[in-house]
mmCIF file of all heavy atoms in Angstrom:
data_model
loop_
_atom_site.group_PDB
_atom_site.id
_atom_site.type_symbol
_atom_site.label_atom_id
_atom_site.label_comp_id
_atom_site.label_asym_id
_atom_site.label_seq_id
_atom_site.Cartn_x
_atom_site.Cartn_y
_atom_site.Cartn_z
ATOM 1 N N GLY A 76 69.273 -18.845 -0.298
ATOM 2 C CA GLY A 76 68.936 -18.840 1.108
ATOM 3 C C GLY A 76 68.563 -17.589 1.693
ATOM 4 O O GLY A 76 68.191 -17.486 2.876
ATOM 5 N N TRP A 77 68.565 -16.541 0.895
ATOM 6 C CA TRP A 77 68.126 -15.188 1.352
ATOM 7 C C TRP A 77 66.652 -15.179 1.479
ATOM 8 O O TRP A 77 65.963 -15.449 0.405
ATOM 9 C CB TRP A 77 68.675 -14.111 0.425
ATOM 10 C CG TRP A 77 70.078 -13.703 0.505
ATOM 11 C CD1 TRP A 77 71.123 -14.445 1.071
ATOM 12 C CD2 TRP A 77 70.637 -12.412 0.110
ATOM 13 N NE1 TRP A 77 72.247 -13.799 0.934
ATOM 14 C CE2 TRP A 77 72.011 -12.539 0.407
ATOM 15 C CE3 TRP A 77 70.100 -11.277 -0.515
ATOM 16 C CZ2 TRP A 77 72.895 -11.487 0.163
ATOM 17 C CZ3 TRP A 77 71.022 -10.269 -0.722
ATOM 18 C CH2 TRP A 77 72.308 -10.382 -0.454
ATOM 19 N N ASN A 78 66.101 -14.665 2.536
ATOM 20 C CA ASN A 78 64.654 -14.413 2.607
ATOM 21 C C ASN A 78 64.240 -13.230 1.698
ATOM 22 O O ASN A 78 63.107 -13.148 1.278
ATOM 23 C CB ASN A 78 64.241 -14.104 4.110
ATOM 24 C CG ASN A 78 64.341 -15.204 4.924
ATOM 25 O OD1 ASN A 78 64.185 -16.417 4.541
ATOM 26 N ND2 ASN A 78 64.683 -15.057 6.302
ATOM 27 N N ALA A 79 65.212 -12.335 1.437
ATOM 28 C CA ALA A 79 64.911 -11.175 0.589
ATOM 29 C C ALA A 79 64.557 -11.568 -0.811
ATOM 30 O O ALA A 79 63.865 -10.839 -1.477
ATOM 31 C CB ALA A 79 66.261 -10.293 0.485
ATOM 32 N N ASP A 80 64.875 -12.761 -1.218
ATOM 33 C CA ASP A 80 64.428 -13.209 -2.529
ATOM 34 C C ASP A 80 62.939 -13.116 -2.643
ATOM 35 O O ASP A 80 62.380 -12.841 -3.779
ATOM 36 C CB ASP A 80 64.857 -14.687 -2.801
ATOM 37 C CG ASP A 80 66.166 -14.663 -3.666
ATOM 38 O OD1 ASP A 80 66.457 -13.668 -4.349
ATOM 39 O OD2 ASP A 80 66.847 -15.688 -3.695
ATOM 40 N N ASP A 81 62.232 -13.481 -1.592
ATOM 41 C CA ASP A 81 60.718 -13.319 -1.521
ATOM 42 C C ASP A 81 60.243 -12.124 -0.891
ATOM 43 O O ASP A 81 59.429 -11.418 -1.328
ATOM 44 C CB ASP A 81 60.165 -14.639 -0.827
ATOM 45 C CG ASP A 81 60.460 -15.892 -1.496
ATOM 46 O OD1 ASP A 81 60.386 -15.976 -2.721
ATOM 47 O OD2 ASP A 81 60.713 -16.887 -0.825
ATOM 48 N N ASN A 82 60.854 -11.743 0.186
ATOM 49 C CA ASN A 82 60.418 -10.627 1.014
ATOM 50 C C ASN A 82 60.636 -9.235 0.396
ATOM 51 O O ASN A 82 60.014 -8.279 0.786
ATOM 52 C CB ASN A 82 61.006 -10.666 2.358
ATOM 53 C CG ASN A 82 60.554 -11.812 3.229
ATOM 54 O OD1 ASN A 82 59.537 -12.388 2.922
ATOM 55 N ND2 ASN A 82 61.231 -12.148 4.330
ATOM 56 N N TRP A 83 61.613 -9.265 -0.623
ATOM 57 C CA TRP A 83 61.867 -7.939 -1.203
ATOM 58 C C TRP A 83 61.288 -7.715 -2.538
ATOM 59 O O TRP A 83 61.780 -6.978 -3.375
ATOM 60 C CB TRP A 83 63.407 -7.666 -1.210
ATOM 61 C CG TRP A 83 64.010 -7.373 0.121
ATOM 62 C CD1 TRP A 83 63.477 -7.650 1.349
ATOM 63 C CD2 TRP A 83 65.220 -6.712 0.380
ATOM 64 N NE1 TRP A 83 64.284 -7.311 2.376
ATOM 65 C CE2 TRP A 83 65.341 -6.724 1.823
ATOM 66 C CE3 TRP A 83 66.291 -6.239 -0.333
ATOM 67 C CZ2 TRP A 83 66.459 -6.139 2.486
ATOM 68 C CZ3 TRP A 83 67.320 -5.657 0.265
ATOM 69 C CH2 TRP A 83 67.498 -5.604 1.667
ATOM 70 N N SER A 84 60.326 -8.551 -2.919
ATOM 71 C CA SER A 84 59.592 -8.314 -4.175
ATOM 72 C C SER A 84 58.865 -6.972 -4.003
ATOM 73 O O SER A 84 58.464 -6.605 -2.901
ATOM 74 C CB SER A 84 58.600 -9.401 -4.464
ATOM 75 O OG SER A 84 57.546 -9.396 -3.505
ATOM 76 N N PRO A 85 58.623 -6.315 -5.061
ATOM 77 C CA PRO A 85 57.985 -4.970 -4.988
ATOM 78 C C PRO A 85 56.624 -5.025 -4.145
ATOM 79 O O PRO A 85 56.488 -4.185 -3.330
ATOM 80 C CB PRO A 85 57.681 -4.658 -6.483
ATOM 81 C CG PRO A 85 58.786 -5.261 -7.293
ATOM 82 C CD PRO A 85 59.049 -6.609 -6.464
ATOM 83 N N GLN A 86 55.851 -6.051 -4.423
ATOM 84 C CA GLN A 86 54.521 -6.095 -3.705
ATOM 85 C C GLN A 86 54.728 -6.412 -2.170
ATOM 86 O O GLN A 86 54.041 -5.814 -1.377
ATOM 87 C CB GLN A 86 53.621 -7.188 -4.354
ATOM 88 C CG GLN A 86 52.226 -7.158 -3.736
ATOM 89 C CD GLN A 86 51.518 -5.808 -3.880
ATOM 90 O OE1 GLN A 86 51.486 -5.257 -4.936
ATOM 91 N NE2 GLN A 86 51.018 -5.302 -2.753
ATOM 92 N N ARG A 87 55.635 -7.287 -1.925
ATOM 93 C CA ARG A 87 55.891 -7.660 -0.505
ATOM 94 C C ARG A 87 56.369 -6.451 0.346
ATOM 95 O O ARG A 87 56.096 -6.247 1.444
ATOM 96 C CB ARG A 87 56.886 -8.843 -0.440
ATOM 97 C CG ARG A 87 56.215 -10.164 -0.799
ATOM 98 C CD ARG A 87 55.142 -10.616 0.212
ATOM 99 N NE ARG A 87 55.683 -10.878 1.574
ATOM 100 C CZ ARG A 87 56.289 -12.028 1.960
ATOM 101 N NH1 ARG A 87 56.419 -13.009 1.047
ATOM 102 N NH2 ARG A 87 56.705 -12.140 3.164
ATOM 103 N N LEU A 88 57.413 -5.768 -0.393
ATOM 104 C CA LEU A 88 57.898 -4.568 0.258
ATOM 105 C C LEU A 88 56.774 -3.497 0.523
ATOM 106 O O LEU A 88 56.773 -2.859 1.566
ATOM 107 C CB LEU A 88 58.973 -3.910 -0.650
ATOM 108 C CG LEU A 88 60.272 -4.656 -0.592
ATOM 109 C CD1 LEU A 88 61.242 -3.974 -1.599
ATOM 110 C CD2 LEU A 88 60.972 -4.679 0.775
ATOM 111 N N LEU A 89 55.938 -3.392 -0.463
ATOM 112 C CA LEU A 89 54.774 -2.445 -0.263
ATOM 113 C C LEU A 89 53.936 -2.801 0.814
ATOM 114 O O LEU A 89 53.451 -2.036 1.621
ATOM 115 C CB LEU A 89 54.107 -2.282 -1.651
ATOM 116 C CG LEU A 89 52.941 -1.264 -1.666
ATOM 117 C CD1 LEU A 89 53.518 0.229 -1.425
ATOM 118 C CD2 LEU A 89 52.213 -1.242 -3.007
#
Side-chain angles (χ1 to χ4, degrees):
W77 282 22
N78 293 330
D80 261 342
D81 296 320
N82 291 344
W83 289 21
S84 69
Q86 188 58 53
R87 287 293 296 277
L88 286 173
L89 186 59

